[in-house]
Amino acid sequence: MVYAESGVGKTEFIGKGSNHPDLKDILLLDVDGGAATIANKDGVFIPDGKVSGVKEIEEILWALSGKSKELANIKTLVIDGASELQKRDLQDLAEEAVNKPNSRRTDKYSIEMRDYKLNTARLLSIFRHLKDLDHVNVIVTAWAKSSYPKDPTTKSEDKNLAPTAIVPDFTDTISKVLRGYMDDVWYLFFDPKTDTRKLVFGHYGPVVAKTRNSDYAKYLLDNLSVDKVKPIIENPSLATIFDAYKKFNETA
């Protein structure tokens, strides 16, 4: 999982992976609708129209599981916009409840507890399915969500202060479970001081990130991190990171 604030360039970061022969062809499920920058890139395939719902994604995952001939060349699956997928599914559940015969619910914009429970079950079902796709690389992108110290007077977050936590933008339950499901959870951000894009691949300050294999994390630190101390890669390239993964496995 790669998560970031809007505009940092996570879709572009993913798209450049199509330059690597072991990553292409990439099947990109454009939930966010922000894949225009790489829509015509060689080796990147985007289904016609926005993939907007859980059911559509499940159908594609079943096709990949069955090794559909149409998807035989796919080496990497990208769900671009899992945070948006959760929000959209919550809205779909509310609308479905309102439209049921004899429903007492009238407000399709009001999310109830039962919607959250169903939403959690549906999202986690997708992510469990992703873990079973052992013949393709799987990358999920998400928005970042920051928490701030609370003002003792107003009891609201004071966004003028430094954040206390930066995590993928999901409900708390899904966020914690997904971070456990994923082998790697990386935070992508833009540093205006150095005018560079940076990738955090381990816990650093308020950033919640991880590389599950601690030996691989050390390998990244020794070979790709600039100062060999902070778990940060400057101007990260998906192809470069994948090559590091291959070399690590060859020497492990």
Side-chain angles (χ1 to χ4, degrees), residues 3 145 147 162-167 203-209:
Y3 71 104
K145 177 172 65 175
S147 299
T164 55
I166 302 174
V167 299
H203 284 311
Y204 181 72
V207 175
V208 174

Side-chain angles (χ1 to χ4, degrees), residues 93-145:
L93 286 168
E95 290 187 20
E96 288 171 11
V98 168
N99 292 328
K100 283 182 179 178
N102 304 317
S103 173
R104 295 181 179 180
R105 291 178 64 175
T106 58
D107 184 359
K108 65 180 182 179
Y109 299 106
S110 177
I111 309 297
E112 297 185 358
M113 185 57 66
R114 72 186 73 177
D115 300 325
Y116 282 106
K117 289 181 179 179
L118 280 172
N119 173 252
T120 298
R122 282 158 59 139
L123 264 289
L124 295 186
S125 174
I126 283 179
F127 279 86
R128 281 193 293 269
H129 200 154
L130 290 178
K131 288 181 69 67
D132 295 334
L133 297 176
D134 54 4
H135 65 293
V136 296
N137 307 298
V138 175
I139 302 172
V140 176
T141 73
W143 299 121
K145 177 172 65 175

Side-chain angles (χ1 to χ4, degrees), residues 112-245:
E112 297 185 358
M113 185 57 66
R114 72 186 73 177
D115 300 325
Y116 282 106
K117 289 181 179 179
L118 280 172
N119 173 252
T120 298
R122 282 158 59 139
L123 264 289
L124 295 186
S125 174
I126 283 179
F127 279 86
R128 281 193 293 269
H129 200 154
L130 290 178
K131 288 181 69 67
D132 295 334
L133 297 176
D134 54 4
H135 65 293
V136 296
N137 307 298
V138 175
I139 302 172
V140 176
T141 73
W143 299 121
K145 177 172 65 175
S146 298
S147 299
Y148 297 86
K150 289 189 176 181
D151 184 303
T153 304
T154 63
K155 305 299 182 182
S156 60
E157 290 187 327
D158 187 347
K159 295 187 178 181
N160 293 315
L161 300 175
T164 55
I166 302 174
V167 299
D169 186 10
F170 299 100
T171 58
D172 288 344
T173 299
I174 290 181
S175 182
K176 290 176 182 176
V177 174
L178 293 193
R179 297 202 304 266
Y181 276 2
M182 308 303 290
D183 289 332
D184 307 302
V185 179
W186 296 339
Y187 175 61
L188 187 68
F189 73 101
F190 181 77
D191 184 357
K193 294 180 181 178
T194 58
D195 194 33
T196 55
R197 192 180 294 158
K198 297 182 178 181
L199 184 78
V200 182
F201 59 87
H203 284 311
Y204 181 72
V207 175
V208 174
K210 74 169 188 179
T211 299
R212 189 187 298 278
N213 187 319
S214 58
D215 290 333
Y216 177 50
K218 186 178 184 306
Y219 186 89
L220 291 176
L221 194 68
D222 292 340
N223 292 274
L224 296 186
S225 179
V226 174
D227 61 12
K228 315 302 181 188
V229 176
K230 300 175 183 177
I232 297 175
I233 301 170
E234 289 190 359
N235 293 317
S237 158
L238 187 58
T240 301
I241 292 171
F242 190 80
D243 276 337
Y245 178 74

Side-chain angles (χ1 to χ4, degrees), residues 48-91:
D48 293 336
K50 186 185 294 185
V51 177
S52 59
V54 166
K55 292 180 180 178
E56 293 167 298
I57 290 179
E58 282 284 12
E59 289 174 2
I60 293 171
L61 296 186
W62 280 115
L64 277 170
S65 296
K67 300 184 180 179
S68 162
K69 290 182 180 180
E70 293 180 355
L71 303 176
N73 293 329
I74 298 301
K75 293 182 180 177
T76 303
L77 169 69
V78 177
I79 298 180
D80 192 21
S83 300
E84 178 66 19
L85 177 65
Q86 185 195 12
K87 292 175 174 60
R88 189 171 295 150
D89 187 56
L90 277 169
Q91 191 60 62

